[in-house]
Amino acid sequence: MKPLADRIRPTSIEEVVGQEHLIGKGKILNRVIESKVINNMIFYGPCGVGKTTIANLIAKATNKSFYKLNATNASLSDIKAIIDELDNLMNVKGVLLYLDEIQNFNKKQQQSLLEYMENGKITLIASTTENPYHYVYKAILSRAVVFEFKPLKKQDIVKGLRRALEIIKKDYSNIKISIEDKVIDYISEISDGDLRRALNILELSFYSTNADENAKIVITQEDIRECTQCKIFSYDNNGDSHYDILSAFQKSIRGSDVDASLHYLARLIKAGDLPSICRRLLVIASEDIGLAYPNAIAIVNSCVEAAFRVGFPEAKIPLAEAVILLATSPKSNSTIKAIDKALKDIDSIYISEIPANIRDGHYEGAENFGRMKNYKYPHDYENHYVKQRYMPESIKDKIYYEYGDNKIEQSAKEYWNKIKKN
């Protein structure tokens, strides 16, 4: 018997759960299916959210010959075999090629499709779990429309599970199946937006539970726990999820949302990604807290060193300490703004030579070049300050650093305004 995920696969767009932004009434893919005019498309999104299902439904809506390849195990010869059949009488209306996991095709394999996409003999629908703008050849991207598929919502998975239960009951009409709503909810919670995963869990729990003397199977939450052991967490150290979580992590700390910050820290801890956590915390300490609380980086550095020393699982404690400190600290981005302005000028404008009075003069003959001539040693003056020129002449009036509006930087501003005015 086919797996439950295949037996439940929708045969019409109305049976598909989720992706309302694409297949809802009047939405783009719904209109495409109704029009039967198919363009090159790339479906981008996580596993188990309906990419293959919708591609199959689109294929049924067209009169083109339908071919399906999985880039994980397909080769250039498979593509050539399809191309060789393009002039076949069966293919006079063209070919619709569904290429699953296109990110596994190299550049040469992807390029082999271009000519036939260009002349309309092949209409490509490709799917990928990786960001197509990173993994798909640009020439193909320019000839296709990218559609992003979202993780399914809990209610979508519940709907799919209920439909699957009806199919199981129909296939095993001699057995009574009992499963409480809270158990279905639990499966939807631990499936991480992946309907295929939810269906596999339900199927495994059904086959692994023995019927009682009354030919009745009762599926409990404990049965589900035994089948799954723990909630599966989607994370790819080199993929979109990695950078998305790190981005959300930093933005939550920057936004002073301590609870969201801890949530994203927990995701990173669950993935065991200690180096990424520590690197990002040190960056945040300077980029987002900066001079509003200069000691933050020293404390965070100590927490990072402690985390590396003790390792997981105990590393979670100093890491959480660092996150809470940063999220609840006053914020200032004056440091990164200042250095970015300075770097931009280095790259974009003419900069004259360093003033002679502050150039190196510790060598024989330096006086002949005017090195350190008229240099004033600030520590010889009141308040360890004396006015003299440090900037190159061409940018002498440039201002890179602007004091932040926090207590520490405003205090420093007041101090130097007073000193320099005197």
Side-chain angles (χ1 to χ4, degrees):
M1 186 177 287
K2 289 182 178 180
L4 181 59
D6 282 339
R7 304 206 306 275
I8 195 181
R9 196 176 293 283
T11 57
S12 69
I13 200 70
E14 290 75 24
E15 293 178 349
V16 179
V17 296
Q19 311 309 333
E20 287 294 320
H21 65 295
L22 296 176
I23 62 170
K25 190 170 180 60
K27 298 300 182 180
I28 180 64
L29 290 184
N30 194 312
R31 300 200 306 271
V32 165
I33 292 173
E34 289 179 354
S35 71
K36 299 184 180 181
V37 178
I38 313 300
N39 296 315
N40 298 308
M41 293 180 273
I42 296 175
F43 292 170
Y44 160 51
C47 299
V49 297
K51 299 190 298 296
T52 302
T53 295
I54 293 175
N56 287 334
L57 292 174
I58 291 175
K60 289 179 181 179
T62 177
N63 292 321
K64 296 177 184 290
S65 299
F66 182 57
Y67 293 81
K68 183 177 179 180
L69 293 176
N70 189 306
T72 304
N73 50 36
S75 64
L76 198 56
S77 61
D78 295 308
I79 298 175
K80 288 180 178 178
I82 295 174
I83 291 171
D84 289 341
E85 293 185 20
L86 286 177
D87 294 327
N88 188 306
L89 287 175
M90 298 290 291
N91 297 327
V92 292
K93 293 186 178 180
V95 163
L96 176 62
L97 171 62
Y98 176 57
L99 182 58
D100 198 12
E101 305 293 348
I102 190 175
Q103 75 273 9
N104 291 312
F105 262 12
N106 59 37
K107 185 176 179 180
K108 184 177 181 181
Q109 289 171 310
Q110 292 185 36
Q111 283 180 317
S112 66
L113 298 168
L114 285 175
E115 176 186 346
Y116 303 95
M117 291 173 64
E118 191 72 39
N119 62 27
K121 289 187 175 182
I122 286 182
T123 300
L124 177 70
I125 299 181
S127 68
T128 175
T129 56
E130 303 294 342
N131 192 325
Y133 296 101
H134 297 161
Y135 290 90
V136 178
Y137 183 46
K138 285 183 173 56
I140 287 184
L141 280 177
S142 70
R143 292 164 173 81
V145 181
V146 177
F147 296 100
E148 183 178 6
F149 284 60
K150 306 288 187 181
L152 297 180
K153 297 176 183 176
K154 177 182 173 181
Q155 59 265 32
D156 296 328
I157 293 181
V158 168
K159 185 178 178 181
L161 287 170
R162 293 196 184 283
R163 182 164 173 265
L165 276 171
E166 293 303 314
I167 291 176
I168 292 175
K169 289 176 181 178
K170 184 177 179 181
D171 291 342
Y172 297 90
S173 56
N174 60 320
I175 298 175
K176 295 179 182 178
I177 303 170
S178 175
I179 181 170
E180 295 182 357
D181 289 344
K182 67 178 183 180
V183 179
I184 294 177
D185 286 343
Y186 178 66
I187 297 174
S188 68
E189 289 280 2
I190 64 175
S191 298
D192 203 30
D194 183 338
L195 180 57
R196 187 186 298 114
R197 182 179 297 156
L199 294 172
N200 290 339
I201 292 170
L202 177 64
E203 187 173 28
L204 177 59
S205 64
F206 171 73
Y207 286 126
S208 61
T209 303
N210 294 322
D212 62 17
E213 62 275 9
N214 298 317
K216 183 178 182 181
I217 288 180
V218 179
I219 301 175
T220 66
Q221 197 160 313
E222 185 57 36
D223 295 326
I224 303 301
R225 287 197 187 97
E226 288 183 5
C227 290
T228 58
Q229 300 300 315
C230 66
K231 181 177 183 238
I232 299 173
F233 177 65
S234 297
Y235 187 82
D236 180 356
N237 282 329
N238 297 310
D240 276 358
S241 61
H242 169 76
Y243 295 106
D244 285 346
I245 294 172
L246 284 174
S247 176
F249 180 53
Q250 179 161 2
K251 288 179 173 68
S252 297
I253 293 176
R254 181 185 296 152
S256 303
D257 189 327
V258 66
D259 297 309
S261 303
L262 288 167
H263 167 75
Y264 292 114
L265 172 65
R267 289 198 188 194
L268 293 164
I269 289 173
K270 200 70 176 175
D273 196 357
L274 183 57
S276 291
I277 299 171
C278 294
R279 179 181 178 277
R280 191 56 62 108
L281 285 173
L282 290 168
V283 170
I284 293 168
S286 293
E287 180 179 348
D288 297 303
I289 284 75
L291 295 171
Y293 184 24
N295 287 337
I297 192 167
I299 299 171
V300 168
N301 189 57
S302 295
C303 290
V304 164
E305 288 183 359
F308 273 116
R309 184 167 296 181
V310 302
F312 285 130
E314 288 85 356
K316 66 183 178 183
I317 305 169
L319 292 176
E321 179 182 346
V323 166
I324 293 171
L325 172 77
L326 294 176
T328 57
S329 291
K331 306 296 189 293
S332 173
N333 66 342
S334 60
T335 299
I336 189 171
K337 286 173 65 177
I339 189 60
D340 281 350
K341 287 180 185 176
L343 287 168
K344 183 179 179 181
D345 279 356
I346 294 292
D347 291 335
S348 59
I349 65 173
Y350 165 75
I351 297 175
S352 56
E353 63 180 6
I354 298 170
N357 63 310
I358 60 171
R359 294 174 74 172
D360 180 30
H362 296 91
Y363 58 90
E364 187 177 348
E367 290 183 3
N368 297 331
F369 296 121
R371 302 294 189 263
M372 289 184 66
K373 185 178 181 181
N374 300 322
Y375 171 66
K376 300 174 183 178
Y377 188 57
H379 297 297
D380 289 339
Y381 295 83
E382 184 180 2
N383 297 312
H384 305 268
Y385 173 78
V386 60
K387 186 175 181 179
Q388 61 184 326
R389 186 162 69 85
Y390 297 96
M391 275 288 215
E393 178 66 25
S394 63
I395 56 171
K396 64 180 180 180
D397 296 321
K398 282 280 185 178
I399 296 176
Y400 295 125
Y401 173 63
E402 296 180 7
Y403 292 93
D405 57 4
N406 56 82
K407 183 178 179 180
I408 291 180
E409 289 184 85
Q410 286 300 308
S411 177
K413 179 181 181 181
E414 183 179 348
Y415 171 80
W416 283 110
N417 281 346
K418 182 179 178 181
I419 296 298
K420 292 180 179 181
K421 185 176 180 181
N422 290 337

